Amino acid sequence: MYLTDFLSEHCADNNITSIINNLSNAAIKISNEIKNVDNKNNAQFNVGNTNIDGDLQKPLDIFADEALITCLRDCPVSGYASEEQDGFIDFNNNHEFIVLADPLDGSSNIDVNVTIGTIFSIIPRNNLPLTEAFLQKGIQQKSSGFFVYGPQTTLFLTIGSGTYLFALNENDQKFLLINKISIPEKTSEFAINAAYKRFWDKSTLKYIENCQQGENGIRGKNFGMRWVGSLVADASRILIRGGIFLYPADTRERYREGRLRLTYEANPIAFLVEQANGMATNGSAEILNLNVKKIHQRTALIFGSQEEVIEFRNSLEKS
Ligand code: AHM
Ligand code: MG
């Protein structure tokens, strides 16, 4: 079944259908541009600007952001915010929805031909001025998803009842439904950037040490570790085969609130994960319930297999 047919069958809101269809067209454009080595967006040439978070913007970051803006102008969308924009774009209309996005997540991986992706979140404006509309909690999302530009181009999508995986059929350039996603409740695989161990809080340290002790330790089983450094790639793996992802807040000056962004990284991933039977927390509260004070707000993010996220939360309470 094609994505378009899936949406006409399962999505009651034509506005959301139109936004997702348009986003998927933009993603196909981005995916093709990434594969095309013979173009000016080639990864090794940096634009030289930094975005709001101080990351160096690459031509593909800008290309992806512009592709999203162009596609959203033709949608029932009144505003757009992204990692690559300081504020938000006002499309000057009264349409019902707003979109937040990380146009090219994991862009530090572009140069090394490792999986990257586009994350999006669709929220009703709820008659709010745009300045307030963008600060709604994640629980308000009506749909979220991310496209993965890896060996295959895929889409993880939720419209509020389950999470579904689609893959791009290169022959006709259309997304095909693969299956409904359910994250296994148990796992023995964790994902964390262990290089920052010296900055972690006591409970993260304890939790990871317990995993590392393997079958002779308190957990009584051996763990494996994976860390791609692209949230979309780590989330893709965890949605399909389970696992736990941890990017805790740490003692580095910039990351005292965590490294990842709440509105266009943590919230959309948390919605997908919860709809797939998993859990997402900042350690003490559900991601989807966190108050949003600014568009580029950072948060600690821990998500994945239910039992493991609960285990992590318990280790926090004990410490
Ligand atoms: P980006 O949006 O600028 O690409 O940054 C977010 C990325 C995530 O994809 C990934 O999980 C994380 O940053 C990796 O951080 P680190 O380099 O600290 O391991
Ligand atoms: Mg990102």
Side-chain angles (χ1 to χ4, degrees), residues 11-138:
C11 188
D13 190 319
N14 289 338
N15 290 332
I16 295 178
T17 296
S18 145
I19 297 167
I20 297 169
N21 281 329
N22 274 268
L23 286 170
S24 74
N25 291 335
I28 292 170
K29 233 164 103 181
I30 297 167
S31 168
N32 289 333
E33 191 72 4
I34 291 167
K35 286 185 213 143
N36 178 8
V37 291
D38 183 24
N39 67 41
K40 67 177 168 30
N41 291 321
N42 204 311
Q44 57 263 38
F45 305 111
N46 288 326
V47 166
N49 294 330
T50 50
N51 66 19
I52 185 90
D53 271 315
D55 300 330
L56 202 60
Q57 283 177 317
K58 297 186 171 161
L60 278 175
D61 283 319
I62 312 288
F63 180 91
D65 197 39
E66 283 170 359
L68 294 182
I69 296 167
T70 307
C71 92
L72 291 173
R73 281 191 197 283
D74 295 333
C75 288
V77 167
S78 51
Y80 167 75
S82 90
E83 185 178 350
E84 306 308 332
Q85 304 283 335
D86 290 359
F88 57 80
I89 296 181
D90 185 344
F91 290 131
N92 285 313
N93 60 48
N94 289 319
H95 287 315
E96 170 62 11
F97 290 95
I98 57 166
V99 171
L100 297 103
D102 182 350
L104 209 53
D105 174 65
S107 55
S108 68
N109 274 327
I110 293 174
D111 318 30
V112 290
N113 194 26
V114 166
T115 296
I116 47 184
T118 299
I119 311 174
F120 64 88
S121 164
I122 303 174
I123 307 185
R125 184 171 173 172
N126 288 325
N127 296 321
L128 293 165
L130 282 180
T131 39
E132 288 170 37
F134 282 106
L135 304 183
Q136 296 178 87
K137 286 181 177 182

